[in-house]
Each structure stands twice: as C-alpha cells, then as structure tokens.
Amino acid sequence: LASRRAGKPTVPHPYVYEPVGSWVYEEVDRQIAQGNLRDLYPHSRLLPRALIAARVAQALHEGKSSVGLMRLARELAWEGRMMGLDLPFQDTRPLATFGPTRSQVKFNGLLSAGGTFMKHEAPDFANQSLVGFRGTYWGAPGFSLMGEYVVTQIPEAARFGDPVVEDTEIQFWVPRFSLAWHASFFELWAGHDNLRWGPGRDGGLMVGGGSSPYSHLGYRVHVGTFATASAVHGWLSQPEGRYAAYHRVEFNLGKGVIFGLGEGVRYDGTAPEPVYLLNVVPYAAAERLLSSETEGGVEVRDELVRSNVLFGTDLYWRWSPGWAAYGELMIDDVKTTEGDVPTRLAYQLGATGVFEGRHRLTLQAEYSRVYNYTYTVFYG
C-alpha cells in the first residue's frame, strides 16, 4: 500500500506546503545526495508535505536506511497517517482537530523566541519573538487552506493598523497563507509566502529563499516524474503597481542529473500583464512584443521604458552516493533590441558531501559571483 501510493507524482491529501526556511528541505537535500529520495521536483519549492511523506515512505519500503529518513518520517507522521502510508511513528496530536478524516480542520500552536544583538546596544527580543497558531483545512480529493496567525512586534506598525497593545508596535499579523487545489498532474495555489527555486543552499540566483513573503498566484504541471513546469506571478506592491513573474521547467534526466531553465521579469502596470500571466511565449519575446505596441501610429514605449527580463539555467548532478555538485548561470537585463548584448551576469557553483555511519557528517561548499548592478536596473 505504501509503495503503491508513494509512486504517484502527486498525492490525494493533505496538500499543505512546507515553508522554504524549514529544516525539512535541508534533510531532503541530504537524502537526495545519498540517493535515498527520488521522484521529487526538489528545486522548485515550495513543496507539499504530503509529497515528501510519500517519497519517504517509498524509500523505507524499498529498504533504505538513514537517520535523516527517520527524522523526516517522524516529522511527517500526520501526513503519513492520513494517507495510510504506515510510517513508523505516531504523530503528535495538534492543539485541536475537527471533522472526519477526509475533511479535517486542525490547529497547532506557534511560539518563537529570538533576538537582535548589536554592539553597544541593548538586545532587542521583541522583533524576533512571536506567539500564535497555524490553522489548516483540507478536503479530499484536492483542496486545502492554510494560514499562520501571530502576534509580534513590527517596526512602524502604526502605519498600517492599530496595535494590539496601546502605545506599542505589537501587531496581529498573517505572515503566510495559501489556498490550493490539485489534481493528478497539476496544482494551483494562491497565497502569501516566499519561494525558492534552484539547487543552491538558499535557492537560485533568480528566485532565492531570502526575500520577504509576497502575495502571488502559482501553478505547476507535471509530466510524470520526468519534467515539472512551474510559474509564479507576484504582487510586489499593488499600490505602486510593481509586479514580477517567473517560470521554470525542471527535467529529471536520470542517473542523478537534474536540469532547469527559467525566466523572470520585473514590470510596472495597473494590473498583472496577461501576456506574462498566460506563459504562452518566453518573457524575452513577450517584452519585445510589448515594446513594439503602437497607439495611433505612435510607439507606446520607447527603448528606455522597458521591463527587466532575466534568464537562468542550472544543472545538478549526483555522481556518486553521498556526493553531488551543481552550477547555475543567470543573465540579467536581457535586451529586446537588435544587436544588444546582456551586460549583467551572475553564476553560482557548489558541491555537497554526506558521510553517514554511526554518526553523520555533511560538507557543503558554495561560491557565488554577482556582477555589479545585477537586479538593480529598471527602465520605467
């Protein structure tokens, strides 16, 4: 049962995404390098927890053994129980659960404590500490709703809301939420979160995991486990009319080789641009099309009023159990006129080694070079 269910490219439920900053992804990276996890689209994240749980169950069913697999099995025990995957752990019960197995609401408490420490200044614990809860609803076969609701201190909070405690910057805040629907070969979601694409330690040069969360619409299409096409359209600032769009295709070529191609564009407007939203043509070609528009015989945009288009490609190779290497090249400011050559480049190289016996040692080296002005130019 576990092997049969685990073999699907997506799983029926519960479809809730793991935040990009979670330790789960670090463990997933290790297990992929060791050859224990497969049939994931590991470099197009967020990933659904249920899909990771299914692949962990598949690895355990095949007799693979690792302390990391057991860590993941323990973390994903609730998803395993809901899908009948028979993971070897009982999940810790959430704060509250309502509803039958196939349509359930659950709540978990959130508590985080941290601080900011600056030389010659008193430690500031308020900005890094929070209390709240995470609520999740999912209903078979493919609908889910998730949100995090917290109370924390936010600098200059009075600009956008009344404080929870008078004369403070303590605010009620929703840092993450998502509304998702999926079928056997695609998934569609809308939410507020950050993303991470690419094989680097914190994602790729085009879409890294270090940004602030932003509102976006995303979707993914799967061709079995061979290829995955992803697209995201983000509202960077709706009042200022600042938008971004990204799309990526990831190919699992077998023998530990994963190849990715992606494009991104930063643009201004009164609403998301349909030619980017549909992903019918490459963004570079779409930008050329928009630049050639005329109104009454007069060009709507000139050469200096154009969007910033980025192109990136990456390669991941697991050449031996426990060993993997990756590289990425990004070209920024892809120009749309004849004869122009992109002038802004960035690249990243990295390698990972995982050694496991009675104890485990992970080694990782990464080098990134971002040439001057990359990401900074916008013609608007």
Side-chain angles (χ1 to χ4, degrees):
L1 177 64
S3 178
R4 185 170 67 251
R5 294 195 177 187
K8 295 183 178 181
T10 57
V11 290
H13 54 265
Y15 217 72
V16 177
Y17 294 95
E18 184 71 6
V20 295
S22 168
W23 67 268
V24 167
Y25 291 120
E26 297 179 6
E27 194 59 64
V28 166
D29 288 341
R30 293 190 189 99
Q31 297 307 311
I32 290 174
Q34 291 180 273
N36 293 331
L37 287 184
R38 55 186 176 83
D39 297 338
L40 284 168
Y41 31 95
H43 303 145
S44 299
R45 301 170 178 175
L46 307 164
L47 288 181
R49 287 173 58 90
L51 182 61
I52 301 172
R55 297 299 178 253
V56 170
Q58 181 180 21
L60 294 175
H61 180 80
E62 293 171 352
K64 295 177 179 176
S65 177
S66 167
V67 62
L69 281 177
M70 302 312 289
R71 287 186 71 201
L72 290 173
R74 184 182 293 109
E75 167 67 21
L76 302 167
W78 182 77
E79 285 79 7
R81 177 169 60 84
M82 289 298 174
M83 293 186 292
L85 294 175
D86 195 28
L87 292 176
F89 294 99
Q90 294 295 321
D91 53 299
T92 303
R93 294 190 62 83
L95 191 66
T97 304
F98 307 96
T101 301
R102 295 183 60 82
S103 182
Q104 193 170 91
V105 177
K106 74 167 186 172
F107 295 96
N108 293 80
L110 290 174
L111 178 63
S112 175
T116 301
F117 304 90
M118 301 291 290
K119 190 175 181 179
H120 306 308
E121 294 184 12
D124 182 2
F125 296 99
N127 286 338
Q128 302 295 328
S129 301
L130 58 85
V131 62
F133 67 92
R134 178 185 294 121
T136 301
Y137 167 76
W138 62 267
F143 175 77
S144 70
L145 178 65
M146 185 280 298
E148 290 183 356
Y149 309 90
V150 304
V151 174
T152 185
Q153 178 172 298
I154 303 175
E156 301 182 26
R159 291 190 299 108
F160 49 82
D162 295 329
V164 175
V165 180
E166 190 175 357
D167 297 326
T168 70
E169 295 182 330
I170 299 176
Q171 277 275 11
F172 177 77
W173 184 40
V174 184
R176 298 177 59 237
F177 68 86
S178 68
L179 175 67
W181 178 52
H182 79 283
S184 60
F185 67 94
F186 75 90
E187 56 197 90
L188 172 69
W189 72 92
H192 186 81
D193 212 328
N194 57 348
L195 304 168
R196 181 192 138 172
W197 291 359
R201 179 68 175 79
D202 292 304
L205 296 168
M206 186 180 300
V207 182
S211 72
S212 298
Y214 52 93
S215 298
H216 63 268
L217 172 69
Y219 51 92
R220 235 180 331 232
V221 178
H222 311 282
V223 182
T225 58
F226 169 68
T228 297
S230 307
V232 167
H233 301 272
W235 283 254
L236 302 182
S237 175
Q238 187 167 347
E240 298 176 2
R242 296 191 288 117
Y243 301 92
Y246 304 96
H247 56 192
R248 170 183 172 84
V249 181
E250 185 175 303
F251 299 95
N252 183 359
L253 303 180
K255 298 186 181 300
V257 178
I258 300 172
F259 177 67
L261 289 170
E263 271 190 310
V265 61
R266 151 77 172 86
Y267 64 97
D268 274 11
T270 57
E273 175 58 53
V275 72
Y276 295 134
L277 194 64
L278 294 176
N279 287 290
V280 177
V281 296
Y283 290 159
E287 176 59 20
R288 181 176 295 221
L289 177 67
L290 294 173
S291 298
S292 65
E293 290 181 348
T294 62
E295 186 174 308
V298 179
E299 288 190 1
V300 178
R301 298 197 297 178
D302 61 31
E303 164 62 13
L304 294 180
V305 181
R306 55 188 175 84
S307 301
N308 191 16
V309 180
L310 305 92
F311 171 80
T313 181
D314 55 78
L315 181 69
Y316 176 94
W317 180 31
R318 185 185 65 83
W319 74 83
S320 178
W323 287 99
Y326 54 87
E328 179 185 9
L329 173 68
M330 193 193 74
I331 303 175
D332 189 12
D333 192 25
V334 178
K335 300 183 179 179
T336 58
T337 57
E338 297 293 340
D340 281 332
V341 178
T343 57
R344 297 167 178 86
L345 303 173
Y347 64 88
Q348 180 169 264
L349 301 171
T352 300
V354 182
F355 309 91
E356 186 166 340
R358 292 183 59 188
H359 304 283
R360 184 172 61 176
L361 174 66
T362 302
L363 301 178
Q364 185 160 29
E366 186 174 274
Y367 177 80
S368 301
R369 177 66 188 268
V370 180
Y371 286 89
N372 200 18
Y373 303 121
T374 305
Y375 311 117
T376 63
V377 175
F378 175 67
Y379 300 91

